[in-house]
Amino acid sequence: MSTESPTAVSTPRISEAAIRNAPNPSLAAQAAQTARTERPTDHHNRIDVEDLDIYYGDFKAVEGVTMTIDPRSVTALIGPSGCGKSTFLRSLNRMHEVIAGARVDGVVKLNGENLYAPGVDPVLVRRRVGMVFQRPNPFPTMSIYENVIAGLRLNGRKIPKADADAMVERSLRGANLWAEVEDRLDRPASGLSGGQQQRLCIARAISMEPDVLLMDEPCSALDPISTLAIEDLIGELKKTYTIVIVTHNMQQASRVSDRTGFFNIAGTGRPGRLVEMDETSVIFSNPAEQATSDYVTGRFG
Amino acid sequence: MSTTLQQQPTSLSLTHGQLSRRVPVAIAVGSVVAALALVLPVAGYNPALIGLAGLVLFTGTTYAASRRVEGRRRAVDRTVTTLVTSAFVLAVIPLVSVIWTVVTLGAERFDAAFFTETMRNVVGEGGGGLHAITGTLVITALAGVISVPVGIMVAIYLVEYGSGRLARSITLFVDVMTGIPSIVAGLFAAGLFAQLGGPGTKNGLAGAVALSVLMVPIVVRASEEMLRLVPNELREAAYGLGVPKWRTITKVVLPTSIAGILTGVTLSVARVIGETAPLLIAVGATDSLNLNPFSDRMQTLPIFAYYSYQQPGFGAGIQASYDRSWTASLVLMLVVMILFALARVLTNVLKPKGLR
Amino acid sequence: MTADLSHGPAAASPQEPRSPHESLLQSGSARKAGDRLFKGVSTGAGVVILVVLAGVAFFLFKESLPAFAADPTVFRADATSFLDYVWPLVFGTVYAAILALLMATPLAIAVALFISHYAPRRLATSLGYLTDILAAVPSVVFGLWGLFVVAPLMVPAMRGLEAGAGFLPLFAGPTLASGRTLLVAAMVLAVMILPIITAISREIFLQTPRLHEEAALALGATRWEVIKTAVLPYGRSGMISATMLGLGRALGETMAIALILSPAPGVVSLNTIGAQNSQAIAPNIALVFPESSGLAINGLFATGLVLFAITFVVNYGARRIAARQLSGAS
């Protein structure tokens, strides 16, 4: 672990070897790896996960995940169905707790603050870690305008109309939707196409000015053109937000993300694990684990 | 190498063996004529008998004709079609009859006096149903005020919070409540108020309580169904924005399902507004206007209709009383029809466009 | 305690560090109170249901108990025991309801089939509304209609029945001249419970999986055969539960019978067209209660308790069958 040339892009070979020898990269190895590559070191919007287990009742759904998510980057989580990547994603904003009996063991830190510390209110967590879902879900009783500021309105926050208008425009511009809807903000949100609705949901999420934006397969219900529009949008959003995206589509992961984590499951009924996490280019061209390589080359999943 | 044989044209033409369209029509006409010929000399002009005879003749002849030409299966099919259609027509007849009766007989006293006068000091002709109309409105409104909030909150509990034994018991008990006969609800209210105010206490509130017992389960069931129809994704969208559960329910789930809930409420009102038995027991009857539900008896439309028939007075007053009875019935039915139409309008107007 | 919105446009410059947020450990006590209060209120509403039902049972029992020990002649001059007083009423209730059910069920199922499978699609919803309107007619109106319209109309038919089938105890006659007989009351009852059975059956028939129907059609079945092989078997438990719900309604029906029948107290008779008709529990209460006092009222409460028990059993059976349909049918 002492001879390598640090670059901003590629992983040092010897760290790889160390990882290959250990089935689960230890915290130390990961930390060392992080230190060697030149990645942004400011602590804003940064997520650290340490040895996280996620349970539904007695059933362990996800086991021993440790990862770091850099500020203002896009991290993709890939893996076969049922391997726990969505469950893990939802644990980052404590959405998994909506299901009764869900709990975690371990630590998730947002800018150094543990989201799972005793006394932390999950509702407040969700206001700082936003989420976009698989199927666009704008509120049907609200107009486009009302949907965008729904996060504020539903929480009873009153802000003057001028500020609200500015915020709506800002969020819609941020979601690349402003030009298409600026003259029909009062119309029901359900009149938009699928791709537009999803961008509306993104606008709604970013109007809360979260630190992190989680996206759970945001394009899987959309046509290819809308998908492209959203991928372009992600490229712009990452300048401001930290983004974690779960996707089934490997090409999408390779197009859109800076780093990729591969989740896998040992067998039915076994918990899912983070098998490997690295720069996207490495994962797709030269992954360290055999399982990763099999998955990205399409040999299974 | 196959020798090409001349294929015999198959006899399986697609229109083979079918009765032409004109045949059933002809049979129908013939049956009517034959029925008339059979019944008129024997029983005179009896439309029911003629209709029955015509039907039997039509069914029998069609069966025989179809059997010969189309085969047994088709014949049976035609017979069933005839029977099912006749059943429908038969079911519509009472509806038409009831509406016709109420409208024609109720029109007699459907005048301004009916809507402005009461029966206070009225013997025989004249008088009106104002006290009954106001009584019905007051008691039903009171019942609504009691049942709707309770019903909706129970539905919210069952859908958004409930799990485990308490929820299962509540669902079971709501089911039991749906089956309570209306007179038993009346007995309950009478017993309760006898306890509270002494034996024989009758007032509008007691009637409202009895009606609530009948209304609450309907509101609960309808609201529950509507709340369950709200897709979970909407709740998740709200949670994802950091909205607490109670605000999610009141500001997202309820507004999305409000159309269906209001429809259920309207239908429950329509159902209880015509209830007579429980009010007979718990509220009694009176001739005067009483707007205070907390003291004294009140008149209601169904009871007014009932007593106007049961105790019509004497002499010329009897017919007048019967007339008032029919008019009260007519007004009652009009109110129920309006409520039904209102329910339909609400569904169409309030339904959020994004949800089907 | 929510997102800090006081800073300027977030997208102004990508490198600008964003203002630090408040610590997550801020307790959000206001919203927790809101959650707890709301949950408490809705749970409380659920508890109200339990309390009300307990109250119904309690008051019924409380007012009935004195009747069981009392001298039965208070209720009916020739009663020898409470059972002797109640039995004819129970018989009348069940008999009238069963007659109504026998008349209504085949008709209701046929109508439901008509609306779901025979009528033109465009008309189907309107036709459904038609039968639902029948459900909107108040029972007192049905009673008056039965009295003034049906009874006189049915007299010749009843005389015919007496002439042709008078050997059956059912039609032993002699036909009551006013026509206000059990047969007419049962017919009106049948019209009243028709909408319930039709509405539920219609829903069940419409829910028959298309796959089953298409499988039958693909084999060249006629419309009736499709119904016989796919729709009816699938809907069997639904139809049974619909019928039992209709039965429950008929058992509790008051005003229509009260208006039509002139009851002879204490009579148990199978005769549906004669003068001596068995009275049913609910109309009996409606007719007698307003003029009663003291122990007689307790007696009426006791009959009400019996009626509640009967309808409870019937409705419970209907729910069980419906539940089996939901869980087992596949």
Side-chain angles (χ1 to χ4, degrees):
Chain A
M1 264 206 219
S2 50
T3 60
E4 75 293 320
S5 51
T7 63
V9 175
S10 63
T11 318
R13 289 226 153 249
I14 295 195
S15 309
E16 256 183 85
I19 293 169
R20 201 178 315 193
N21 290 333
N24 281 324
S26 69
L27 276 175
Q30 286 235 328
Q33 180 190 352
T34 307
R36 262 157 204 83
T37 58
E38 294 237 11
R39 303 217 305 276
T41 51
D42 73 282
H43 292 276
H44 237 60
N45 309 354
R46 171 202 177 88
I47 296 186
D48 296 285
V49 182
E50 290 165 22
D51 204 20
L52 188 71
D53 294 333
I54 308 178
Y55 294 86
Y56 285 121
D58 287 331
F59 171 65
K60 189 190 274 196
V62 173
E63 174 176 59
V65 176
T66 298
M67 67 160 69
T68 298
I69 296 175
D70 296 325
R72 289 195 276 278
S73 68
V74 180
T75 304
L77 304 177
I78 60 173
S81 300
C83 61
K85 40 189 209 300
S86 278
T87 307
F88 171 71
L89 187 78
R90 281 164 178 247
S91 71
L92 295 180
N93 69 348
R94 299 188 66 164
M95 272 296 283
H96 66 293
E97 288 172 12
V98 164
I99 299 181
R103 62 186 171 88
V104 309
D105 245 340
V107 169
V108 176
K109 288 189 189 159
L110 176 63
N111 300 338
E113 277 188 87
N114 184 2
L115 299 182
Y116 287 94
V120 171
D121 187 355
V123 169
L124 294 182
V125 170
R126 294 178 202 139
R127 291 180 194 163
R128 289 175 52 186
V129 180
M131 191 161 206
V132 175
F133 299 86
Q134 192 168 345
R135 289 203 337 213
N137 50 11
F139 298 121
T141 54
M142 300 184 193
S143 67
I144 295 175
Y145 182 99
E146 289 167 345
N147 257 287
V148 176
I149 51 170
L152 301 173
R153 286 265 175 88
L154 290 177
N155 278 312
R157 305 260 312 171
K158 302 233 184 312
I159 56 177
K161 180 136 194 337
D163 291 348
D165 288 350
M167 158 139 292
V168 169
E169 180 173 342
R170 207 158 64 221
S171 310
L172 285 172
R173 282 193 191 280
N176 283 351
L177 190 59
W178 175 253
E180 291 166 59
V181 301
E182 66 176 308
D183 52 353
R184 45 178 171 137
L185 293 174
D186 289 329
R187 301 275 200 76
S190 47
L192 300 172
S193 74
Q196 289 172 321
Q197 284 188 9
Q198 192 64 304
R199 278 179 279 151
L200 178 61
C201 292
I202 294 177
R204 181 175 66 187
I206 65 181
S207 80
M208 296 291 288
E209 303 194 332
D211 294 335
V212 178
L213 200 53
L214 305 177
M215 298 181 145
D216 193 351
E217 303 195 36
C219 303
S220 61
L222 303 178
D223 61 272
I225 302 201
S226 308
T227 301
L228 210 53
I230 295 203
E231 288 179 9
D232 288 343
L233 178 57
I234 292 179
E236 292 192 24
L237 287 174
K238 80 171 185 185
K239 297 177 194 159
T240 318
Y241 308 95
T242 305
I243 297 183
V244 184
I245 172 171
V246 163
T247 177
H248 258 133
N249 183 337
M250 286 185 285
Q251 287 77 15
Q252 178 172 85
S254 60
R255 283 194 291 267
V256 142
S257 64
D258 303 313
R259 286 172 65 78
T260 300
F262 170 63
F263 277 75
N264 198 6
I265 192 167
T268 40
R270 305 291 311 282
R273 293 171 35 239
L274 175 66
V275 170
E276 183 174 353
M277 178 147 176
D278 212 325
E279 306 282 337
T280 299
S281 51
V282 172
I283 291 279
F284 282 97
S285 58
N286 201 359
E289 295 289 326
Q290 183 62 36
T292 316
S293 167
D294 286 344
Y295 182 74
V296 302
T297 53
R299 273 201 215 111
F300 77 95
Chain B
M1 208 56 147
S2 56
T3 51
T4 51
L5 290 174
Q6 190 71 8
Q7 292 276 33
Q8 288 288 55
T10 58
S11 61
L12 198 64
S13 136
L14 288 175
T15 55
H16 172 76
Q18 265 194 343
L19 281 182
S20 93
R21 288 274 168 84
R22 281 179 260 130
V23 174
V25 177
I27 299 183
V29 171
S31 313
V32 171
V33 170
L36 282 168
L38 277 174
V39 174
L40 277 175
V42 174
Y45 181 68
N46 187 337
L49 220 47
I50 295 176
L52 189 61
L55 187 66
V56 169
L57 285 169
F58 176 79
T59 315
T61 319
T62 312
Y63 181 80
S66 174
R67 176 94 189 242
R68 266 206 101 217
V69 176
E70 298 176 326
R72 198 188 59 86
R73 287 169 67 185
R74 288 273 195 72
V76 170
D77 190 41
R78 280 187 191 271
T79 309
V80 172
T81 307
T82 312
L83 288 177
V84 167
T85 315
S86 334
F88 179 75
V89 171
L90 191 60
V92 171
I93 292 178
L95 174 66
V96 171
S97 172
V98 170
I99 296 186
W100 176 255
T101 310
V102 174
V103 169
T104 49
L105 291 181
E108 187 67 35
R109 275 306 315 275
F110 198 80
D111 48 42
F114 188 83
F115 287 93
T116 52
E117 295 176 33
T118 69
M119 288 302 292
R120 192 177 173 84
N121 297 327
V122 173
V123 174
E125 307 204 328
L130 178 64
H131 57 313
I133 297 176
T134 56
T136 294
L137 289 174
V138 168
I139 292 184
T140 314
L142 205 51
V145 162
I146 301 176
S147 340
V148 171
V150 171
I152 296 184
M153 285 311 279
V154 173
I156 289 179
Y157 175 77
L158 289 175
V159 175
E160 307 284 338
Y161 293 102
S163 58
R165 280 185 42 200
L166 184 60
R168 279 199 298 272
S169 326
I170 294 179
T171 304
L172 175 67
F173 278 55
V174 169
D175 270 346
V176 172
M177 270 178 99
T178 354
I180 294 186
S182 55
I183 195 141
V184 172
L187 286 176
F188 161 65
L192 175 65
F193 277 78
Q195 190 69 18
L196 293 176
T201 309
K202 286 188 175 28
N203 55 44
L205 183 60
V209 167
L211 291 186
S212 302
V213 170
L214 298 173
M215 265 180 90
V216 165
I218 306 181
V219 174
V220 170
R221 282 282 163 257
S223 308
E224 206 187 328
E225 213 179 292
M226 290 299 131
L227 289 173
R228 285 196 202 278
L229 277 180
V230 174
N232 231 15
E233 310 168 330
L234 290 183
R235 295 184 182 85
E236 290 205 320
Y239 295 148
L241 291 169
V243 179
K245 184 162 186 169
W246 72 277
R247 276 188 189 269
T248 303
I249 296 176
T250 54
K251 294 199 168 178
V252 175
V253 179
L254 268 184
T256 308
S257 53
I258 199 71
I261 292 183
L262 280 182
T263 307
V265 167
T266 314
L267 290 176
S268 74
V269 171
R271 157 107 207 267
V272 298
I273 207 168
E275 286 291 347
T276 322
L279 299 181
L280 208 55
I281 313 276
V283 184
T286 175
D287 284 335
S288 318
L289 190 64
N290 176 11
L291 290 174
N292 183 357
F294 298 102
S295 83
D296 255 344
R297 304 156 184 239
M298 250 192 205
Q299 186 61 291
T300 49
L301 279 172
I303 298 205
F304 183 53
Y306 174 65
Y307 274 131
S308 295
Y309 167 75
Q310 288 283 54
Q311 295 163 3
F314 51 87
I318 296 184
Q319 188 55 43
S321 197
Y322 286 177
D323 289 339
R324 285 192 294 267
S325 173
W326 284 112
T327 308
S329 307
L330 177 58
V331 172
L332 196 53
M333 277 191 65
L334 282 174
V335 171
V336 175
M337 298 296 179
I338 292 177
L339 285 173
F340 265 39
L342 185 66
R344 205 118 51 84
V345 163
L346 278 177
T347 322
N348 290 331
V349 160
L350 283 182
K351 191 159 257 200
K353 313 302 184 295
L355 244 39
R356 299 221 82 251
Chain C
M1 71 182 83
T2 55
D4 183 329
L5 297 163
S6 51
H7 59 273
S13 155
Q15 304 309 323
E16 220 170 62
R18 301 171 21 110
S19 311
H21 288 276
E22 309 80 2
S23 161
L24 287 170
L25 281 177
Q26 279 196 321
S27 60
S29 56
R31 84 96 191 147
K32 278 200 178 124
D35 261 339
R36 236 177 284 141
L37 183 65
F38 195 77
K39 178 168 185 179
V41 168
S42 75
T43 314
V47 169
V48 163
I49 301 275
L50 303 179
V51 166
V52 165
L53 216 50
V56 171
F58 172 73
F59 279 105
L60 275 185
F61 268 105
K62 173 174 179 293
E63 296 289 332
S64 306
L65 279 178
F68 297 127
D71 170 18
T73 56
V74 175
F75 313 129
R76 199 181 77 230
D78 60 339
T80 55
S81 70
F82 181 73
L83 204 57
D84 183 50
Y85 161 61
V86 148
W87 161 239
L89 289 170
V90 171
F91 173 80
T93 308
V94 174
Y95 192 44
I98 293 196
L99 283 177
L101 204 64
L102 285 175
M103 287 189 263
T105 308
L107 201 60
I109 304 237
V111 172
L113 274 181
F114 178 80
I115 298 178
S116 63
H117 285 84
Y118 284 84
R121 283 288 104 220
R122 294 168 292 116
L123 290 183
T125 19
S126 327
L127 294 178
Y129 284 135
L130 220 54
T131 36
D132 288 344
I133 291 182
L134 215 51
V137 178
S139 54
V140 69
V141 175
F142 271 120
L144 291 174
W145 171 69
L147 198 49
F148 281 94
V149 174
V150 181
L153 265 181
M154 279 297 294
V155 170
M158 290 195 285
R159 293 222 171 92
L161 278 172
E162 179 190 352
F167 54 90
L168 291 170
L170 228 59
F171 302 123
T175 309
L176 190 56
S178 66
R180 294 170 60 178
T181 62
L182 187 58
L183 185 62
V184 169
M187 282 175 70
V188 172
L189 257 190
V191 172
M192 291 175 74
I193 66 177
L194 186 79
I196 310 177
I197 309 180
T198 304
I200 301 183
S201 306
R202 188 178 80 226
E203 290 304 311
I204 303 267
F205 294 153
L206 285 172
Q207 280 171 25
T208 314
R210 283 221 60 88
L211 265 71
H212 294 184
E213 292 191 30
E214 288 176 353
L217 280 172
L219 290 170
T222 62
R223 184 153 47 180
W224 163 237
E225 286 166 350
V226 171
I227 293 176
K228 199 168 54 162
T229 56
V231 179
L232 289 179
Y234 176 81
R236 195 176 46 210
S237 33
M239 286 192 282
I240 295 181
S241 112
T243 318
M244 292 187 80
L245 283 175
L247 177 63
R249 216 25 135 61
L251 288 169
E253 180 45 48
T254 320
M255 295 321 292
I257 306 182
L259 279 167
I260 297 177
L261 270 191
S262 41
V267 164
V268 174
S269 158
L270 284 177
N271 191 350
T272 61
I273 60 179
Q276 302 275 47
N277 296 298
S278 309
Q279 180 59 293
I281 295 179
N284 182 56
I285 299 179
L287 286 170
V288 175
F289 193 96
E291 313 297 317
S292 308
S293 61
L295 269 181
I297 292 200
N298 296 108
L300 291 176
F301 265 93
T303 60
L305 183 61
V306 172
L307 179 63
F308 187 30
I310 299 178
T311 49
F312 179 80
V313 167
V314 168
N315 277 301
Y316 184 69
R319 306 277 168 206
R320 283 293 298 275
I321 297 179
R324 226 179 320 133
Q325 155 100 351
L326 278 173
S327 59
S330 166

